[in-house]
């Protein structure tokens, strides 16, 4: 897909420039606080086409981030953070991703400064969000990059025999650990995926808006394929995950302050590189309500 552009009624041009990777496009020429319906319709279409959109140089107050997010649908309330804090005062939809300590010595957000492993947001829920947005307020000088991987490309890249093997299977998505490896608030930790809290979803799904087939994997730790022995399930998951996390179907984002990244949470996975824990990284995230991932 090449670059595309639209003009709004005032003549302002919005340009969509694909990253050149398997997914992702950068959107130029928009202020997300002031979008008309034509611009929003083009952004919505591009989000479905490219799975991840990057908007640089945005100046969004929390209320602006919520308002832009709401154009995509109703918002989920933010989960309780791993430190027990509940989101941002006055904005229950905002989740803080940060390693920064508050004046009480407790982190103001989740995920720390370590690696956040490949995952789809909140896939342990029966109805995971259809989209997530992350807005950068403070970024470290190096590290903390976020990688996205196309689950359409992952499905397309499976050898024919493996595609046949996984068709119709369901995966248990574990709700014990978040992507930073922290135990979620209120959960008793276990490493047995058969008994841990979570939800079964089809392994091969059909995207409800694009109609394309994709792999729906969630998170590797504590994942389990229904009906298989644990060792057989682990071996098959390892084989599938090897296709879903290769660089050839991924795009890496290096953050600057004022970046807004919007992703299709049904069609992608993401992970974050670690960074120097003495540096500050502060992100605000919203999530748009989704539906149960439909089987292909
Ligand atoms: C997330 O996994 O939702 C956060 C990713 C990041 O911190 O870049």
């Amino acid at each position: 897909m090449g670059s595309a552009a639209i003009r709004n009624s005032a003549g302002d041009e919005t340009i969509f420039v694909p990253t050149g990777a398997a997914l992702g496009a950068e959107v130029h020429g928009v202020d997300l606080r002031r979008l008309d319906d034509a611009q929003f319709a083009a952004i919505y279409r591009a989000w479905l086409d490219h799975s991840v959109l990057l908007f640089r140089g945005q100046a969004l107050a929390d209320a602006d981030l919520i308002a832009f997010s709401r154009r995509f649908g109703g918002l989920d309330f933010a989960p309780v953070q791993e430190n027990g804090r509940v989101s941002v005062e006055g904005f229950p939809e905002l989740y803080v991703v940060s390693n920064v300590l508050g004046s009480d010595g407790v982190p103001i957000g989740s995920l720390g400064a370590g690696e956040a492993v490949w995952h789809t947001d909140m896939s342990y829920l029966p109805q995971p969000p259809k989209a997530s947005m992350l807005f950068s307020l403070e970024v470290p000088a190096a590290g903390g990059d976020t990688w996205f991987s196309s689950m359409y490309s992952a499905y397309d890249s499976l050898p024919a025999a493996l595609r046949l093997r996984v068709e119709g299977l369901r995966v248990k998505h574990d709700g014990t650990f978040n992507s930073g490896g922290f135990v979620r608030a209120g959960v008793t930790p276990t490493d047995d995926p058969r008994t841990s809290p979570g939800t079964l979803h089809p392994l091969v799904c059909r995207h409800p808006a694009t109609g394309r087939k994709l792999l729906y994997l969630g998170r590797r730790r504590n994942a389990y394929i229904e009906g298989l022995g644990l060792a057989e399930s682990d071996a098959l998951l390892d084989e599938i995950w090897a296709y879903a996390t290769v660089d050839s179907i991924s795009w890496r984002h290096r953050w600057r302050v004022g970046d807004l990244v919007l992703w299709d949470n049904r069609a992608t996975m993401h992970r974050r590189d670690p960074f120097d824990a003495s540096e500050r990284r502060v992100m605000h995230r919203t999530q748009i309500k989704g539906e149960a991932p439909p089987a292909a």
Side-chain angles (χ1 to χ4, degrees), residues 97 111 116 119 121 134 144 146 179 255 263 270 272 281 285:
V97 177
L111 299 186
H119 66 284
D121 285 334
L134 203 54
T146 307
S179 55
W255 291 93
W263 62 93
H270 58 283
R272 183 195 74 195
R281 188 176 188 272
R285 188 184 79 184

Side-chain angles (χ1 to χ4, degrees), residues 221-241:
R221 184 170 181 179
N222 266 6
Y224 169 66
I225 299 180
E226 181 185 36
L228 301 191
L230 209 43
E232 195 187 353
S233 164
D234 277 341
L236 184 52
L237 284 169
D238 286 348
E239 196 179 344
I240 299 163
W241 272 80

